[in-house]
Amino acid sequence: MKVKDIGEQGLLRILQKFCPAEIVGDDCAVMPTNPNQSLAITTDMLVEGVHFSDRTTGPYYAGWRAAAANLSDLAAMGATPLAVTVALAVAADTAVEWVEEFYRGMTACLQEYHTPIVGGDVVRSPVVTVAITAFGQVECDRTISRSNARSGWAIVATGVHGASRAGLELLLNPEFGQNLEKVDRASLILAHQCPKPRLDVLPIIREILDSAGEFSLAGMDSSDGLADAIIQICRASGVGAKVDRTKIPIPDIFSEIVSTEKALDWALYGGEDFELVLFLPIANAQLLVEKIGNGAAIVGTATDSTDIWLTDSSGIYPDGILKLDRGFQHF
């Protein structure tokens, strides 16, 4: 049997057997460091030709996206970033300027969140590969996990989805989207090259849930797509969901460049939007969406079934089951 025969999810299930069951399974491992706080740790690897290439993302933005991916994992756990370490593998004939520009991009992203690079490693490799480990801090009773969702809770997306996928399409196919205004074209490309991890949402979540008197929440980020995030949370929590396609926040400009079906496909499965997907009680969800604004929306409801349905409140499209196999998988 080969890795390609079991796929990414099958490989992860095997590897998780070698880790403590109470630690693995979320966007970060969370390890208590004192009675009140925990250390959140995440590692993300990027490989040239798989995660980035000079065709779509120069070294500066490749560095930015590498840092953003790790910070997004910390945000998904409710953790405040502390520092990162970076392991870099490059060929001997790699231009020094490329490496410097990559680190400038990483630093620019990290500095927005007061997060230093505190170490790492450099090795020789025929393929440029970057592995970043990020460290964050979170109060034990404010950790966001995938496994806490309850039936009847609302499902919130913190912003629009599909923009990064559209930006990638514009970079890959220059003829695509010729009817777009220059500012709209640039905005979509920037969504792909320069995503913003939603650490800004965490203080709002804490304020709302502290006022409610209970930190009731489940969530993760949508780096692998909105559908993937909803499915992963449902599986971890033992719940199902009904997701209303008419409620999914999609960039308004999509109506000028793609069909309704393509827009939905990019929103659900395009990935790399780095928004948060959160399950929480309806009243708190409504308040959260109101305070976040900028495309945040309640997209569905958790159910006591195990099925995850894509529904249509307008009655135009039939209901269907959301699945993982339509999103990006490494194998």
Side-chain angles (χ1 to χ4, degrees):
M1 183 180 294
K2 308 293 185 183
V3 170
K4 65 181 180 181
D5 297 323
I6 61 175
E8 180 180 350
Q9 296 301 315
L11 180 61
L12 287 173
R13 283 192 290 271
I14 290 174
L15 298 180
Q16 286 174 352
K17 296 176 183 177
F18 296 92
C19 304
E22 69 275 11
I23 291 179
V24 299
D26 285 305
D27 290 85
C28 299
V30 178
M31 305 177 67
T33 53
N34 63 45
N36 299 314
Q37 293 183 321
S38 296
L39 183 67
I41 308 167
T42 182
T43 298
D44 210 40
M45 183 177 292
L46 295 96
V47 179
E48 184 179 23
V50 178
H51 298 95
F52 64 91
S53 72
D54 285 339
R55 181 182 176 190
T56 61
T57 310
Y60 180 91
Y61 287 119
W64 179 290
R65 293 177 75 247
N70 283 267
L71 294 182
S72 184
D73 280 341
L74 292 177
M77 301 298 298
T80 300
L82 296 173
V84 303
T85 59
V86 183
L88 175 69
V90 293
D93 60 356
T94 300
V96 172
E97 293 79 10
W98 191 99
V99 176
E100 288 181 322
E101 197 65 6
F102 185 91
Y103 271 72
R104 288 191 187 101
M106 276 196 299
T107 302
C109 179
L110 293 169
Q111 283 181 339
E112 287 200 16
Y113 306 98
H114 312 291
T115 307
I117 299 173
V118 296
D121 193 17
V122 177
V123 298
R124 184 175 61 191
S125 168
V127 178
V128 176
T129 304
V130 184
I132 299 177
T133 298
F135 303 87
Q137 187 169 275
V138 59
E139 294 181 26
C140 296
D141 58 356
R142 290 184 173 183
T143 303
I144 301 173
S145 171
R146 301 180 188 181
S147 59
N148 291 335
R150 301 292 179 265
S151 176
W153 282 9
I155 304 170
V156 171
T158 61
V160 296
H161 280 74
S164 177
R165 179 63 182 82
L168 176 61
E169 192 69 22
L170 289 168
L171 290 164
L172 291 173
N173 302 304
E175 298 304 314
F176 173 72
Q178 288 295 313
N179 58 322
L180 285 173
E181 296 288 341
K182 184 179 291 187
V183 64
D184 293 324
R185 188 180 187 88
S187 176
L188 292 174
I189 289 175
L190 201 61
H192 178 71
Q193 293 183 331
C194 195
K196 297 294 184 73
R198 296 309 304 268
L199 289 159
D200 61 299
V201 174
L202 300 185
I204 302 173
I205 292 173
R206 293 168 187 146
E207 177 188 350
I208 291 172
L209 297 186
D210 284 349
S211 297
E214 183 179 7
F215 201 83
S216 299
L217 183 68
M220 63 178 287
D221 76 354
S222 62
S223 55
D224 289 328
L226 177 60
D228 175 90
I230 293 172
I231 293 168
Q232 298 282 14
I233 295 169
C234 285
R235 286 183 174 180
S237 298
V239 298
K242 288 185 178 180
V243 180
D244 188 344
R245 61 188 292 153
T246 69
K247 305 298 184 184
I248 294 173
I250 296 173
D252 294 336
I253 199 66
F254 273 21
S255 62
E256 298 183 21
I257 56 175
V258 292
S259 66
T260 300
E261 280 301 298
K262 177 64 72 174
L264 181 68
D265 184 72
W266 283 358
L268 287 173
Y269 302 107
E272 298 189 323
D273 289 299
F274 294 106
E275 295 291 342
L276 298 181
V277 179
L278 305 166
F279 287 51
L280 66 169
I282 183 66
N284 295 338
Q286 291 170 336
L287 188 55
L288 179 62
V289 166
E290 179 183 328
K291 285 182 174 291
I292 297 175
N294 296 320
I298 294 175
V299 300
T301 307
T303 67
D304 56 9
S305 167
T306 56
D307 294 326
I308 303 162
W309 289 94
L310 180 65
T311 65
D312 180 16
S313 59
S314 71
I316 298 175
Y317 298 93
D319 295 349
I321 296 288
L322 283 181
K323 297 180 179 180
L324 282 177
D325 56 8
R326 292 183 61 183
F328 176 78
Q329 298 288 313
H330 282 283
F331 307 104

